[in-house]
Amino acid sequence: MSGPRPDTVSGLLAEIADIGRDPVRGGYSRPVLSGAELSLREWFVAHADKRGLEVTTDRNGVIWAWHTPDGSYADAVVTGSHLDSVPGGGAYDGPLGVASALVAFDRLSAAGVGGRPRAIAVFPEEEGSRFGVACLGSRLLTGAIDPARALALADPGGRTFAEALRAAGATPEHLGPDPEALGRIGTFVELHVEQGRGLIDLGQPVAVGSSILGHGRWRVTLSGAGNHAGTTLMSDRRDPMVAAGALVVGVRRLAREVPEARATVGRLVPTPGGTNVIASRVDLWLDVRHHDDATTLALVERIRQEAELAAAEEGCSAVMAEESFSATVDFDAGLRDELCEVLPGAPVLATGAGHDAGVLKAHVPTAMLFVRNPTGVSHAPDEAVEDVDAEHGALALAHTLEHLA
Ligand code: HGY
Ligand code: MN
Ligand code: MN
């Protein structure tokens, strides 16, 4: 039996279904500038070329695929998303928005829609899974991060972003704000899989986004005394792993005390990490989110104090450093309401997940569309989108882009 048609969202996603599969974690691991993510970029560029779009990759590694009816790039209607993933992520977080954009462009071309120039943008390192800062590509584009800081970011193996760019044939020295590229965007609309259960409970395939929860990442380093697991008496230990364990439980307790707050420790790295070795240090990363930014920061401060207490209990020390912070973003109400008119029956949903659209919102009128996820799960292999809903999403995006054009 033949697979899904190549000119459908599910057909396009089927083409990349084997790229970056993670046999250990399940799902997909497609870190930025990895072989898998570079293959996905090639896949996108080939499809853009096939459609006669003008494809460029800018100084920050953002890929732009243009349709310019009269050769102008001004005031463009831009859509797109990302291709990188979290470790063991799902098939849709990012690629759904890119594939839907290609199908929506096909519909607009078939209908002979002209008007404003339009483009698909693919942003690198949206997840921040390799170099630690989320939405790194859109932050560089908009000047939201210092290029020197970005270039010095190192991945878990110690390779810097600059070295990884060079290895991929890019020129790190060119990294930085790109007001010309940013200035071309008149309106940005990102389609994304819903990373929650809102649409399931509302019985709708597509929603219009209203806001993105403020969120940040902090690194906590707990330092103690590395030693031998067999020769060191329990009374003689300063074990940062014990402090880390107490802190992880404390994070949950403190977050539960703040209504609507979310706090997660998803990554914890002992050094040196031997089975028969008492760790000398433990690094753990904190992800804290709340709609009210002051509440987020107050919770982080309480967690910092908890870290110091947990460390002191074990004769260890604790240091916390902010790695990134994104304030809560409310999308343009006018644009949101326009999309609700274009998509009658589409509910309005807030999201707890960050997106490049959240970064661009500070610079251009920005909106989001969400597509139903029957499991409501994301950042895990169980993330899902029904084929029929994926097509609804692409159709909704096409209607939106046509309206805006
Ligand atoms: O972490 C996030 O919220 C997004 O998926 N990058
Ligand atoms: Mn994600
Ligand atoms: Mn995403």
Side-chain angles (χ1 to χ4, degrees):
M1 189 171 99
S2 67
R5 288 178 26 215
D7 60 346
T8 60
V9 175
S10 48
L12 288 171
L13 293 177
E15 293 174 3
I16 59 173
D18 290 331
I19 297 176
R21 279 193 191 283
D22 190 319
V24 175
R25 298 180 179 98
Y28 293 90
S29 293
R30 298 159 164 173
V32 70
L33 294 171
S34 65
E37 195 250 2
L38 293 172
S39 298
L40 293 178
R41 289 190 196 194
E42 286 167 14
W43 163 80
F44 170 72
V45 169
H47 271 291
D49 283 343
K50 198 167 76 178
R51 288 161 172 79
L53 301 175
E54 180 196 342
V55 183
T56 58
T57 300
D58 71 15
R59 67 177 66 152
N60 295 305
V62 182
I63 306 172
W64 301 86
W66 284 93
H67 172 80
T68 55
D70 59 3
S72 157
Y73 296 84
D75 190 31
V77 178
V78 180
T79 185
S81 192
H82 61 95
L83 293 170
D84 64 295
S85 79
V86 294
Y92 300 93
D93 179 350
L96 181 73
V98 176
S100 302
L102 288 167
V103 171
F105 270 43
D106 290 345
R107 284 179 170 276
L108 296 181
S109 297
V113 173
R116 293 162 66 184
R118 51 182 182 263
I120 302 172
V122 178
F123 296 97
E125 190 61 324
E126 187 279 337
E127 296 292 1
S129 293
R130 181 171 178 186
F131 294 103
V133 173
C135 299
L136 186 57
S138 51
R139 288 177 194 263
L140 282 163
L141 167 69
T142 59
I145 186 170
D146 170 23
R149 177 182 173 222
L151 288 170
L153 293 171
D155 68 11
R159 194 165 209 194
T160 64
F161 187 40
E163 289 162 347
L165 284 168
R166 241 175 245 115
T171 312
E173 291 68 30
H174 296 167
L175 229 63
D178 194 337
E180 188 191 344
L182 185 60
R184 289 176 164 180
I185 308 174
T187 313
F188 181 70
V189 181
E190 178 170 3
L191 180 144
H192 204 280
V193 58
E194 188 202 345
Q195 296 164 294
R197 296 188 44 83
L199 283 165
I200 302 169
D201 299 338
L202 291 167
Q204 290 287 336
V206 175
V208 176
S210 57
S211 66
I212 294 179
L213 211 52
H215 57 285
R217 301 180 183 189
W218 289 264
R219 175 178 186 157
V220 179
T221 299
L222 298 157
S223 302
N227 211 325
H228 193 295
T231 57
T232 313
L233 299 180
M234 295 311 285
S235 55
D236 295 341
R237 297 182 180 207
R238 293 193 293 117
D239 186 349
M241 196 67 116
V242 175
L247 178 57
V248 169
V249 174
V251 164
R252 185 181 64 172
R253 184 186 80 252
L254 292 171
R256 279 180 165 171
E257 291 168 7
V258 180
E260 297 299 310
R262 296 114 204 238
T264 311
V265 176
R267 187 174 158 219
L268 183 151
V269 178
T271 298
T275 303
N276 56 351
V277 178
I278 301 169
S280 56
R281 70 180 265 180
V282 172
D283 291 287
L284 58 85
W285 282 263
L286 188 59
D287 178 311
V288 182
R289 309 193 189 203
H290 194 277
H291 196 78
D292 175 67
D293 297 331
T295 303
T296 303
L297 297 175
L299 176 53
V300 169
E301 175 53 21
R302 291 189 65 195
I303 292 171
R304 191 190 62 75
Q305 293 164 11
E306 183 85 2
E308 288 189 341
L309 275 177
E313 294 261 306
E314 289 302 318
C316 296
S317 65
V319 173
M320 178 190 277
E322 179 180 294
E323 291 204 332
S324 67
F325 181 71
S326 306
T328 286
V329 165
D330 292 306
F331 291 121
D332 301 88
L335 183 57
R336 179 201 63 207
D337 296 345
E338 246 185 275
L339 266 55
C340 288
E341 281 172 33
V342 171
L343 306 170
V348 175
L349 280 184
T351 179
H355 301 281
D356 292 302
V359 175
L360 291 176
K361 161 55 177 67
H363 303 272
V364 296
T366 299
M368 286 196 79
L369 297 178
F370 297 116
V371 177
R372 180 164 46 195
N373 170 349
T375 66
V377 170
S378 186
H379 284 189
D382 287 351
E383 183 182 81
V385 173
E386 304 285 357
D387 291 356
V388 64
D389 284 351
E391 297 318 311
H392 277 306
L395 186 61
L397 183 60
H399 285 330
T400 298
L401 300 178
E402 180 174 9
H403 167 80
L404 294 170

